[in-house]
Amino acid sequence: MASHYDLICNVNGGSEHKIWRIKVRVIRLRRSSYFKDNNNKPMIELVVLDEQGGRIQCTVKSIHVYLFENSINEGNVYMLENLSVALNSGKYKPTMHEFRMFFKRETRVTLVEDSSIPLYGFSFVPFVEILNETKDDRRLVDVLGVVIGKGNLIEFKKEGKPCNYVVIELENIEGGLKLRCTLWEDYAFMFLKHLEDHPSESYVVVLQFAKIKNFKGSVGVSNTTYNSKLFINANIPEIEDFQMRLKSSDSQQGIQFSQLSDHASLTLEEEFLERGVYKSIADLKEVIQNSVFVTIGTVKDIESEYNWCYRACKKCSLGLKLDGSMFYCKKCVTHYSTFVTRYSIQLRVVDETDSASFILFDKEASNFLKIPAYELRTSYIAKGGDKNRHPEEIDSFKDKKFLFKVQVKIQDMESIVPYVISISRLCFEDNIIASFEKKYQIEEVALIQDNSELLSQFTESSDLLKDNLSVSCDNEVDTPSPLLPTGKTASNMDSSVIKVLDVDLAEYCGNASFDTPSKCKGEMHSEQTIVRVAVHGDEQSAKKLRKVIKEEKN
C-alpha cells in the first residue's frame, strides 16, 4: 500500500476527502510575488511531471512557504501527499489539465530516486497547429526548431520602464514551416550572449512554456515573464536528435541564418513615436554596447571617399570578394560568377548636439531614391561617371531632415571611432518628424555657412584629425592648427563655430581619457586651446573662451 500513488491524469475535484498522492519530477519552479504582501514570502509555483507524461501545476501559498521552501528543488523527484485540488483558471496555463493542486499545512514531501520520469517532459506542439490559431491562446506550449533568422535587440519604454526584446525565426525540418519567436528581457540577453560566446553553424532552440501571440494577424510565440525555459544547442536528447535529423535532411543546404527586419509589422508612427528609444547623436556616440535607437538629424554631406554601392551575394547580401574571375562569399563559402548591386551610402548626419557618419543600406536607400542600385549604377556608368564620386541622384539626401532608426555596433573600444552606426529604417514624412520633435522638444538649430564649411573639412580629414588629437595638452604648440579654415583665428571666428569644433573633435576622441589637467596651458583664445577645450569637454574653460572671444569682438 505504501508504494501506491495516483497518476496526474486521474486528479480531479470529485471527492472532498480524497487524499491525493503523486510521484512527480519538478520540471519548473519559480517564486511569484504577484500576491505577496508585506508579511509573507512570495508564493512558489511548480509544474510537475509524472511517469506517463502527465503535467499539473502546483502552488505553495505564501503562508505555507516557510514549511516547504527548503524541501523542494527543480529537477528532483518527490512523493507529494495530501494536496488540495482546485480549477485551473490562470491567465496563462503551463498545463492543459482541468485542475491544479495546492500544498496544505498537512502536505508531506518525500525525496525519492526514480529515473523513469523524464528530466524535462517536453510536449512539442507542431508549427502548423500554432500558425492556425486565430487568436491568443491561454495555454503555454513547447516549441523546437532551428534558428534561420535574427533581428536586432530592440529597446523601448513602456509606462516609463525600459523594455528589451529580440525576434528570431525558427524552422522545423519536415514541413519547412517558419515560426516567429519573440524573446523578452533576460531571455533575449541569454540568446544574444550564447551567439556571441558559442559560434556555431546552426542553433537549435527549445522554448518551453511559451505563449502563443497573434500580433496584427501574424501568429508567433514568445516567452512568459517567469514560466518559460530556453535551451540553445543544449546537450539534451531532444535537441541532439533534432540536430542529427537536420544533418541528414535535404533542407540543410537551404537553411540561411539571415537578418530579420525589425519593422515588419510596425507603422512609422509606432516605430518612431511609440516604440523607439530616442537618443541624440552625442548620446549615440557614448553607447558602449550594441544597441538600437531612434534619432533625428539633417544630412549635411555624402562621404564620397566611401563607395556608394557594393557587390552583394545573391543569397545572404554580404559583400563579395573578387577571386580571379569569380566572386567569393565567405558566409556562404561559395564562388559566384555574378553579383547583385546594393546601396551602401555613407551619410554625414548632424543634429544640435553632434555629428556622425551613418551607413544607409539597400532597402531604405531604394525606398527614398525610387531607383534600384543596379539601375542607378548602370545609368551612371553609361554617362561616364567618375568612379571616385557618386551619382547626383544621391545628393537628394543632402540638407534634408530625417528620422533614423539606427543600430550602434561596437567594434573596438580602443580605437578613436569605436562604433559603426547603420540605418535600419528611414522616415522622411514631415508630419511624423514634426510629432517627433514635439514629443522630445527638439529645437531647430540653424547651421551657418561657416559651420557647414568647417564640418565638410572635418569629414574629409579624419586622418589629419587623429594625428592632431595625439598632441598632449601639456605641450605648447605655436604652429597654427590645420584643423581651422585658412585665415581663421579664434579672435575672428564666430563663437558658434566653437560648437562645431566640439562636435567633430568629440567624435574622434570617443571615450578616450586623458591624464592631463582639464585646463590647458596657453592663451584661452589660441587656436590650439580650442582643440584642447573640445578634447577635454571642459565646459568651464569653454565658457571662458567664449567670453574672451566676445570681449575681443567688442
Side-chain angles (χ1 to χ4, degrees):
M1 187 71 180
S3 62
H4 172 73
Y5 51 86
D6 302 289
L7 295 174
I8 287 176
C9 62
N10 294 326
V11 172
N12 62 73
S15 174
E16 181 180 352
H17 303 291
K18 167 72 176 176
I19 297 178
W20 294 102
R21 191 168 188 263
I22 57 176
K23 184 173 70 170
V24 294
R25 186 185 300 276
V26 178
I27 61 173
R28 193 65 173 127
L29 182 152
R30 68 176 181 89
R31 295 178 180 273
S32 173
S33 57
Y34 187 78
F35 297 106
K36 178 181 176 293
D37 58 44
N38 294 330
N39 300 317
N40 294 305
K41 295 183 177 181
M43 64 182 182
I44 300 174
E45 294 284 3
L46 310 171
V47 179
V48 299
L49 174 79
D50 70 10
E51 61 196 48
Q52 290 194 356
R55 300 196 301 192
I56 195 167
Q57 184 176 353
C58 300
T59 302
V60 182
K61 294 181 180 179
S62 296
I63 58 174
H64 296 142
V65 166
Y66 75 97
L67 295 171
F68 302 105
E69 62 181 340
N70 297 320
S71 304
I72 307 172
N73 291 296
E74 187 173 304
N76 289 342
V77 177
Y78 299 95
M79 192 71 76
L80 304 180
E81 186 175 359
N82 199 3
L83 298 92
S84 62
V85 178
L87 288 172
N88 184 15
S89 57
K91 180 179 180 181
Y92 290 107
K93 301 178 180 181
T95 78
M96 290 308 295
H97 203 291
E98 182 182 359
F99 299 95
R100 60 188 297 180
M101 307 185 83
F102 287 88
F103 283 59
K104 302 188 294 186
R105 188 179 298 276
E106 300 80 17
T107 298
R108 294 178 59 185
V109 179
T110 306
L111 178 66
V112 298
E113 293 291 335
D114 192 332
S115 59
S116 66
I117 303 177
L119 285 174
Y120 304 105
F122 296 120
S123 180
F124 295 117
V125 177
F127 284 10
V128 65
E129 185 177 329
I130 295 172
L131 294 170
N132 285 335
E133 290 288 344
T134 58
K135 59 182 179 180
D136 291 355
D137 196 315
R138 294 175 64 186
R139 62 174 171 157
L140 300 183
V141 299
D142 302 343
V143 295
L144 167 67
V146 60
V147 179
I148 61 169
K150 178 190 74 70
N152 295 316
L153 179 68
I154 305 300
E155 302 176 78
F156 67 98
K157 288 187 177 181
K158 183 177 182 180
E159 297 177 355
K161 297 181 179 180
C163 299
N164 306 272
Y165 73 89
V166 64
V167 176
I168 63 176
E169 190 169 51
L170 304 178
E171 185 177 64
N172 61 10
I173 297 177
E174 291 79 9
L177 294 176
K178 298 177 178 60
L179 181 69
R180 285 292 180 103
C181 175
T182 305
L183 300 176
W184 291 88
E185 307 305 338
D186 291 344
Y187 296 84
F189 296 123
M190 174 183 174
F191 176 80
L192 295 174
K193 181 168 176 51
H194 185 95
L195 264 60
E196 181 179 346
D197 294 344
H198 306 282
S200 175
E201 292 182 359
S202 63
Y203 297 91
V204 177
V205 166
V206 169
L207 184 60
Q208 189 176 28
F209 305 123
K211 59 184 177 182
I212 300 174
K213 297 295 291 182
N214 189 317
F215 181 69
K216 295 187 176 181
S218 177
V219 179
V221 297
S222 69
N223 64 277
T224 61
T225 306
Y226 302 108
N227 282 307
S228 300
K229 295 178 72 173
L230 180 64
F231 303 83
I232 310 165
N233 283 359
N235 296 322
I236 59 177
E238 292 79 3
I239 286 183
E240 290 174 347
D241 176 67
F242 189 97
Q243 289 172 329
M244 290 296 294
R245 291 186 290 128
L246 184 63
K247 290 179 181 179
S248 61
S249 69
D250 294 334
S251 64
Q252 183 189 14
Q253 297 301 322
I255 294 176
Q256 297 287 337
F257 194 99
S258 61
Q259 182 71 24
L260 299 179
S261 171
D262 299 326
H263 54 270
S265 302
L266 298 180
T267 65
L268 288 171
E269 289 85 350
E270 291 170 327
E271 189 82 87
F272 291 99
L273 301 179
E274 298 175 20
R275 292 289 194 94
V277 177
Y278 166 66
K279 283 189 179 295
S280 67
I281 293 178
D283 290 336
L284 289 178
K285 292 160 73 169
E286 296 298 322
V287 171
I288 58 174
Q289 65 180 11
N290 295 348
S291 307
V292 176
F293 301 102
V294 296
T295 192
I296 185 172
T298 301
V299 176
K300 298 307 296 180
D301 200 5
I302 311 298
E303 300 186 336
S304 297
E305 61 267 35
Y306 302 98
N307 292 329
W308 61 273
C309 65
Y310 69 102
R311 295 186 292 252
C313 174
K314 294 181 290 184
K315 287 188 176 181
C316 69
S317 299
L318 193 70
L320 297 175
K321 182 179 179 181
L322 185 62
D323 186 9
S325 61
M326 302 288 285
F327 302 98
Y328 179 71
C329 176
K330 66 179 182 180
K331 181 176 181 180
C332 300
V333 196
T334 305
H335 283 85
Y336 299 99
S337 59
T338 60
F339 60 86
V340 177
T341 302
R342 292 183 178 274
Y343 286 113
S344 176
I345 305 171
Q346 198 107 347
L347 307 176
R348 192 67 183 178
V349 183
V350 62
D351 69 0
E352 74 277 10
T353 68
D354 211 329
S355 66
S357 295
F358 290 7
I359 303 176
L360 181 65
F361 288 109
D362 194 69
K363 184 176 180 180
E364 295 300 313
S366 298
N367 185 38
F368 177 78
L369 294 172
K370 306 300 183 186
I371 181 173
Y374 73 90
E375 286 189 15
L376 185 56
R377 178 176 177 270
T378 301
S379 172
Y380 187 59
I381 293 174
K383 295 176 183 177
D386 184 351
K387 66 178 182 178
N388 296 318
R389 299 186 60 80
H390 56 262
E392 61 181 12
E393 287 86 346
I394 293 179
D395 284 330
S396 59
F397 284 103
K398 293 177 66 173
D399 296 319
K400 187 170 181 62
K401 184 182 292 184
F402 296 92
L403 295 179
F404 304 92
K405 181 178 181 181
V406 297
Q407 179 183 14
V408 183
K409 186 175 182 179
I410 305 300
Q411 292 192 319
D412 181 5
M413 290 302 295
E414 300 300 321
S415 66
I416 295 177
V417 183
Y419 50 81
V420 171
I421 303 176
S422 57
I423 302 165
S424 60
R425 199 171 191 185
L426 196 65
C427 174
F428 42 89
E429 295 187 13
D430 293 339
N431 59 325
I432 299 178
I433 292 174
S435 298
F436 188 92
E437 290 178 320
K438 182 178 180 181
K439 177 178 180 179
Y440 294 105
Q441 299 180 346
I442 298 170
E443 297 180 0
E444 182 73 25
V445 177
L447 295 175
I448 62 172
Q449 182 62 33
D450 279 351
N451 288 13
S452 300
E453 203 175 287
L454 186 60
L455 179 62
S456 177
Q457 290 199 17
F458 280 137
T459 60
E460 294 171 0
S461 309
S462 59
D463 292 336
L464 183 61
L465 188 58
K466 294 174 186 177
D467 293 338
N468 278 274
L469 288 179
S470 64
V471 179
S472 168
C473 284
D474 287 336
N475 300 328
E476 290 294 340
V477 181
D478 298 324
T479 57
S481 170
L483 299 178
L484 296 176
T486 304
K488 294 279 187 177
T489 65
S491 59
N492 63 21
M493 286 174 64
D494 190 288
S495 60
S496 60
V497 175
I498 296 171
K499 184 173 184 64
V500 178
L501 282 169
D502 288 344
V503 166
D504 284 275
L505 291 176
E507 175 192 348
Y508 292 92
C509 292
N511 296 322
S513 59
F514 294 84
D515 296 328
T516 51
S518 59
K519 292 184 179 180
C520 305
K521 296 179 181 179
E523 298 182 22
M524 287 301 300
H525 60 279
S526 71
E527 295 164 353
Q528 183 61 34
T529 306
I530 295 176
V531 175
R532 292 169 181 166
V533 169
V535 169
H536 290 277
D538 188 335
E539 184 61 30
Q540 184 176 3
S541 298
K543 288 180 179 179
K544 289 181 179 180
L545 174 60
R546 294 186 179 95
K547 182 178 179 181
V548 170
I549 294 173
K550 184 177 181 181
E551 290 174 354
E552 290 189 4
K553 291 174 72 174
N554 293 333

